[in-house]
Amino acid sequence: MKKITNQELGRPSAEEFERMPKMPVTVVLDNVRSLNNVGSFFRTSDAFGVECIALCGITATPPNREIHKTALGAENTVRWEYADSTERCVRDLREKGYTILAVEQVEGACMLDEFRMESGKKYALVFGNEVFGVEQRVVDLCDGAIEIPQVGTKHSLNVSVSGGAVLWSMFCEYRKLL
C-alpha cells in the first residue's frame, strides 16, 4: 500500500473550489472561544464543501495566525461572515429559507445517526461555546436539534470534534441526494 501524494489526489485549486457546488449547509459558531476550534471548522468545512461559516459573538475571524495554524489556508477558501449576535444571524438565515438545527443535547433532539437530509432544503447547524454550548436563547430560535449519540462517562465532545462528526454525516447524506 502506497500513500497518495497531494498531486495524485487531484484536489481543486482555490479558484476551482470557489466555483464548485457546495453542500447546502451553513455552520454557525455561537461564541466559540478557541481559535484552534475555529480553524478546525474552516478545515473541516473545506473538506466537506460547506457553503459558509457564520462566526458569531466572541468567535474570532480571519485573518488570524492562530486560526491559520489549524485551518492551514482553508480560511481563504471557505466563505465566512461575521455577526455580532448569533440570534440575529439565526433569524437572518431563517428569512433566507434555512432550517436551523442546534447541535446540542436538548429534549426531543434527533440522534445524528437517525437524521436524514431532505432534498432541496438548506440547513444551518449551530455549534456552541466550549463550556456553555449553544445559548438557550439561540436554541429557542431553532427548528430542531441534532445530538451525537455517546456512551462514555463524559457528557460532550470538543466542539470541533462534534463539527467533524456532524459535517461528515451531513456530507454522506448530501451525497445520497445527488
Side-chain angles (χ1 to χ4, degrees):
M1 181 168 20
K2 175 188 164 288
K3 282 181 63 174
I4 300 171
T5 66
N6 286 339
Q7 292 76 23
E8 292 170 326
L9 287 172
R11 297 289 191 229
S13 68
E15 294 78 23
E16 292 167 328
F17 182 81
E18 185 178 347
R19 292 189 301 270
M20 288 172 41
K22 304 292 186 294
M23 182 169 61
V25 172
T26 289
V27 167
V28 178
L29 300 184
D30 178 25
N31 293 298
V32 171
R33 65 183 181 177
S34 165
L35 299 167
N36 290 322
N37 284 333
V38 174
S40 290
F41 268 100
F42 272 101
R43 195 162 165 191
T44 301
S45 294
D46 176 275
F48 299 133
V50 166
E51 67 180 5
C52 185
I53 299 176
L55 306 166
C56 302
I58 66 166
T59 307
T61 63
N64 184 294
R65 189 168 37 120
E66 291 300 310
I67 291 173
H68 178 74
K69 199 185 304 185
T70 313
L72 296 177
E75 73 278 23
N76 300 317
T77 58
V78 176
R79 187 170 65 86
W80 63 271
E81 300 170 352
Y82 175 76
D84 62 350
S85 161
T86 308
E87 294 165 72
R88 185 170 24 262
C89 175
V90 165
R91 285 187 181 102
D92 289 348
L93 287 165
R94 173 165 290 105
E95 286 178 16
K96 294 176 183 174
Y98 285 79
T99 297
I100 316 295
L101 301 171
V103 178
E104 188 60 85
Q105 297 164 327
V106 299
E107 295 170 348
C110 177
M111 290 299 153
L112 178 59
D113 57 332
E114 297 172 358
F115 178 79
R116 301 293 173 261
M117 284 182 86
E118 294 179 37
S119 183
K121 268 193 169 182
K122 299 184 293 186
Y123 296 90
L125 303 173
V126 184
F127 294 87
N129 176 276
E130 293 86 344
V131 176
F132 304 110
V134 179
E135 290 186 45
Q136 184 63 54
R137 293 184 314 236
V138 175
V139 170
D140 293 341
L141 296 173
C142 292
D143 300 306
I146 294 175
E147 181 177 340
I148 301 169
Q150 301 171 50
V151 298
T153 61
K154 300 301 174 191
H155 66 280
S156 66
L157 296 168
N158 172 278
V159 67
S160 67
V161 172
S162 295
V166 172
L167 291 172
W168 163 248
S169 181
M170 296 289 279
F171 181 70
C172 291
E173 283 292 312
Y174 178 64
R175 288 176 43 176
K176 291 177 191 174
L177 298 174
L178 296 177

